[in-house]
């Protein structure tokens, strides 16, 4: 008689903290049995940014059929699932509540443990879903639409924040600059495309905090410089816009590389340099970070592009990592608009500091 292979527990993950509705079934051996990601770009495009109320309604409309589809594709029922992991924050609170309440309802109905996942922990652990050899501790550059942080990742639930932004997140700077340049929504990928045909040396844009002893990031001044440079060209050609996009992308990349180099020295125990979050999908930034890691003889780990932007596989994976430690939640878990990974980190000086 053949014995079944031990393939590890099965976790259903739900993500709804911004404008992607996503569901995934992931197994402890890193197999993604099935997943769906529904982007809401079309709904938000007329407004040039994510409208929280529209996002929450779209999540509410879509989640139930997507969960049914993922279970059907994997050929399992809720009874076969070992835990339900749902994003509980940080993010747009309406959407977070829709996803978390759905996760709670499934956990209650099927009598399975609930794992209320921090979305940032999902990004932070996602490189370990893609790369089984990645061990703690590692240095993580977490770059998304709402966050720009350097974290010493010491273990599951153990994060040391080494730096954060004192104003805008880098993804926000990409999105706002893309909007200023008329490149459309969502801005990050559009700006990267435009920059491909541009001259990154044409516009001398600032590199805020580069070379500074202060560990943090700042992008607000760079975005304002893009606005001024754009206003200085009366009737911009496609080439002008491409040059400005390339100059912005180069300046943002230089800032990320300089701050990360400083953090490599501040966290010498790191076994690898890792990048995660939506902005990690940017090829110019990935390339520059790979060269930086090479200079310090550190392995460089970047998840595949689809795993960088918001998805539910990373939420299911964070659930699996926590389940392995017996760290589950009860049905009272709260939805949280703000939820820092390192609650002990000092407040960074500056205006619009995010979690
Ligand atoms: O992680 P994510 O999907 O959602 C948040 O948790 O914020 O990150 C979205 C951010 C947006 O600001 C988007 O413009 C940016 O990631 N982004 C990019 C690229 N793809 C997504 N930024 C630069 N280049 C890209 N290719
Ligand atoms: Zn995200």
């Amino acid at each position: 008689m053949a014995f079944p292979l031990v393939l590890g527990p099965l976790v259903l993950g739900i993500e709804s903290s911004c404008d992607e509705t996503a569901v995934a079934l992931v197994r402890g051996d890193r197999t993604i049995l099935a997943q769906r990601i529904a982007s809401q770009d079309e709904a938000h495009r007329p407004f040039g940014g994510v409208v929280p109320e529209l996002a929450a309604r779209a999540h509410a409309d879509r989640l139930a059929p997507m969960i049914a589809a993922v279970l059907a594709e994997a050929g399992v029922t809720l009874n076969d699932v070992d835990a339900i992991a749902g994003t509980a924050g940080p993010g747009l609170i309406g959407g977070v509540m829709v996803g978390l309440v759905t996760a709670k309802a499934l956990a209650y109905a099927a009598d399975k443990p609930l794992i209320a996942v921090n979305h940032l922990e999902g990004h932070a652990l996602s490189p370990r879903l893609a790369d089984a050899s990645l061990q703690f501790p590692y240095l993580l550059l977490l770059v998304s639409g709402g966050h720009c942080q350097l974290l010493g990742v010491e273990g599951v639930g153990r994060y040391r924040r080494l730096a954060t932004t004192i104003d805008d997140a880098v993804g926000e700077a990409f999105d706002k600059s893309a909007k200023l340049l008329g490149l459309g929504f969502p801005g990050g990928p559009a700006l990267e495309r435009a920059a491909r045909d541009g001259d990154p040396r044409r516009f001398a844009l600032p590199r805020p905090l580069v070379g500074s002893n202060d560990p943090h990031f700042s992008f607000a001044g760079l975005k304002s410089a893009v606005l001024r440079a754009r206003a200085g060209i009366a009737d911009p050609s496609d080439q002008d816009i491409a040059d400005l996009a390339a100059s912005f992308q180069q300046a943002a990349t230089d800032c990320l590389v300089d701050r990360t180099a400083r953090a490599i020295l501040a966290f010498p125990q790191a076994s690898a340099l890792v990048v995660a979050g939506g902005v990690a999908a940017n090829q110019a930034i990935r390339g520059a970070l790979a060269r930086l890691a090479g200079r310090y003889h550190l392995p460089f780990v970047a998840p595949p592009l689809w795993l960088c932007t918001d998805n539910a596989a990373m939420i299911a994976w964070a659930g699996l990592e926590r389940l392995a430690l017996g760290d589950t939640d009860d049905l009272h878990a709260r939805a949280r608009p703000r939820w820092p990974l390192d609650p002990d980190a000092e407040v960074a000086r500056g205006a619009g500091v995010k979690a």
Side-chain angles (χ1 to χ4, degrees):
M1 186 182 133
F3 290 96
L5 289 171
V6 177
L7 299 168
L10 191 58
V11 169
L12 178 73
I14 296 175
E15 159 60 32
S16 61
S17 67
C18 191
D19 61 340
E20 258 90 29
T21 315
V23 179
L25 255 180
V26 182
R27 206 166 53 196
D29 66 350
R30 294 182 165 75
T31 306
I32 298 169
L33 271 68
Q35 71 162 325
R36 295 277 189 285
I37 305 176
S39 132
Q40 305 172 2
D41 289 350
E42 296 309 319
H44 302 293
R45 183 165 288 125
F47 306 94
V50 178
V51 183
E53 184 60 20
L54 288 181
R57 284 177 197 213
H59 293 308
D61 288 344
R62 289 177 182 181
L63 262 179
M66 285 172 72
I67 292 165
V70 162
L71 291 170
E73 185 183 323
V76 301
T77 69
L78 269 188
N79 281 332
D80 304 312
V81 170
D82 293 287
I84 316 286
T87 298
L92 301 174
I93 194 64
V96 172
M97 286 169 73
V98 168
L100 184 60
V101 130
T102 305
K104 285 180 179 179
L106 296 177
Y108 180 70
D111 195 19
K112 304 287 178 179
L114 170 77
I115 304 171
V117 173
N118 182 320
H119 178 86
L120 299 174
E121 183 162 47
H123 280 302
L125 298 176
S126 66
R128 283 167 52 85
L129 168 58
D131 184 342
S133 69
L134 178 59
Q135 300 293 328
F136 302 118
Y138 53 85
L139 176 63
L140 172 72
L141 174 64
L142 176 53
V143 276
S144 71
H147 296 85
C148 183
Q149 304 189 341
L150 281 155
L151 294 155
V153 180
E154 293 168 340
V156 178
R158 291 168 49 213
Y159 306 94
R160 183 132 61 90
R161 199 197 72 192
L162 305 166
T164 187
T165 179
I166 60 169
D167 41 54
D168 292 351
V170 62
E172 198 176 348
F174 266 90
D175 293 335
K176 288 178 177 169
S177 298
K179 203 168 177 181
L180 289 171
L181 298 178
L183 293 171
F185 174 86
L191 194 144
E192 179 177 21
R193 266 194 309 280
R196 246 174 246 149
D197 305 316
D199 173 5
R201 287 172 305 273
R202 172 152 164 221
F203 294 92
L205 299 176
R207 270 91 172 139
L209 292 180
V210 162
S212 157
N213 260 339
D214 184 324
H216 298 303
F217 297 91
S218 169
F219 291 99
L222 175 55
K223 173 199 63 195
S224 308
V226 170
L227 175 64
R228 283 193 298 277
R230 164 67 188 80
I233 316 168
D235 186 15
S237 66
D238 287 352
Q239 191 59 51
D240 292 330
I241 295 295
D243 291 346
L244 199 38
S247 300
F248 164 82
Q249 183 169 271
Q250 186 62 55
T253 305
D254 289 351
C255 294
L256 294 175
V257 166
D258 178 79
R259 309 286 70 200
T260 305
R262 193 182 180 289
I264 289 174
L265 301 177
F267 195 69
Q269 58 272 53
S271 66
L273 172 62
V274 177
V275 65
V279 182
N282 184 286
Q283 296 294 345
I285 291 172
R286 287 166 90 96
L289 291 170
R291 289 190 293 280
L292 173 70
R295 282 207 292 284
Y296 288 91
H297 307 291
L298 276 174
F300 176 63
V301 178
L305 300 194
W306 74 264
L307 191 52
C308 289
T309 47
D310 285 349
N311 64 85
M314 70 180 192
I315 302 303
W317 177 253
L320 280 159
E321 295 250 37
R322 284 188 43 200
L323 189 63
L325 300 176
D327 179 16
T328 61
D329 294 289
D330 65 29
L331 296 180
H332 298 291
R334 284 189 300 129
R336 303 166 66 161
R338 294 277 164 98
W339 188 359
L341 275 181
D342 178 0
D344 299 331
E346 283 175 26
V347 175
R349 81 181 158 70
V353 179
K354 310 261 161 68

